[in-house]
């Protein structure tokens, strides 16, 4: 087993935490559809684009990719980079769509800003995974 340095341990922990954080949202959307839709106009706007339970399933899947990548971090193999890329890309897209829906339908301005931040973080994660995949192909 590879011994991880403190920065790697912190990175893995934060990646795992981001995945779990997003997983709870996905599970809430998928399991509590009626509750979600009665909470706010923001969720209704998301539901108009695509059923809220599909949002939940897609968010849960992307979150599981992020969680799995945190476990693969010590190996840093091709699977790690692909899972990092796919999880980051799908999670980034999901949060970007939530940002768009939240701009005019959120209760206040903090929700869209949080979603935009999460979208950017996931996008950077996808970039790192994708950049390594690209570098290994040469």
């Amino acid at each position: 087993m590879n011994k991880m340095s403190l920065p790697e341990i912190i990175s893995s922990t934060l990646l795992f935490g981001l995945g779990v954080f997003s997983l709870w949202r996905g599970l809430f959307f998928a399991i509590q559809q009626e509750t979600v839709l009665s909470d706010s106009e923001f969720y209704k706007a998301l539901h108009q684009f695509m059923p809220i339970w599909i949002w939940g399933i897609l968010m849960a899947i992307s979150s599981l990719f992020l969680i799995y990548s945190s476990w693969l971090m010590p190996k840093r193999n091709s699977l790690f980079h692909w899972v990092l890329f796919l999880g980051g890309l799908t999670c980034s897209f999901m949060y970007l769509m939530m940002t768009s829906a939240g701009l005019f339908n959120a209760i206040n301005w903090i929700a869209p800003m949080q979603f935009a931040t999460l979208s950017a973080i996931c996008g950077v994660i996808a970039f790192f995974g994708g950049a390594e995949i690209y570098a290994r192909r040469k």
Side-chain angles (χ1 to χ4, degrees):
M1 172 106 179
N2 297 344
K3 181 159 172 58
M4 292 174 53
S5 67
L6 181 60
E8 291 169 329
I9 292 169
I10 292 170
S11 297
S12 179
T13 302
L14 291 174
L15 190 58
F16 182 81
L18 176 63
V20 171
F21 177 83
S22 299
L23 179 64
W24 293 133
R25 180 178 302 277
L27 290 176
F28 179 61
F29 284 2
I31 296 170
Q32 298 287 322
Q33 182 176 357
E34 295 305 319
T35 304
V36 170
L37 293 176
S38 65
D39 275 351
S40 75
E41 292 300 316
F42 164 68
Y43 297 125
K44 289 178 186 172
L46 286 176
H47 187 68
Q48 288 176 353
F49 179 74
M50 183 170 52
I52 202 74
W53 66 269
I54 294 176
W55 283 98
I57 290 172
L58 293 175
M59 183 61 81
I61 291 169
S62 67
S63 300
L64 291 173
F65 280 138
L66 293 176
I67 292 167
Y68 186 48
S69 68
S70 75
W71 289 103
L72 292 173
M73 189 175 282
K75 295 180 182 179
R76 283 190 216 91
N77 56 14
S78 179
L79 179 60
F80 164 71
H81 296 292
W82 274 104
V83 172
L84 195 67
F85 173 69
L86 292 174
L89 186 67
T90 55
C91 202
S92 178
F93 177 74
M94 299 297 289
Y95 279 122
L96 181 64
M97 296 304 291
M98 287 181 189
T99 302
S100 298
L103 286 176
F104 299 107
N105 298 299
I107 296 171
N108 54 39
W109 60 270
I110 193 72
M113 294 303 102
Q114 288 175 337
F115 295 142
T117 302
L118 288 166
S119 178
I121 290 168
C122 291
V124 170
I125 288 169
F127 173 79
F128 287 136
E132 188 62 30
I133 292 167
Y134 179 77
R136 289 182 178 206
R137 287 191 170 182
K138 288 189 167 192

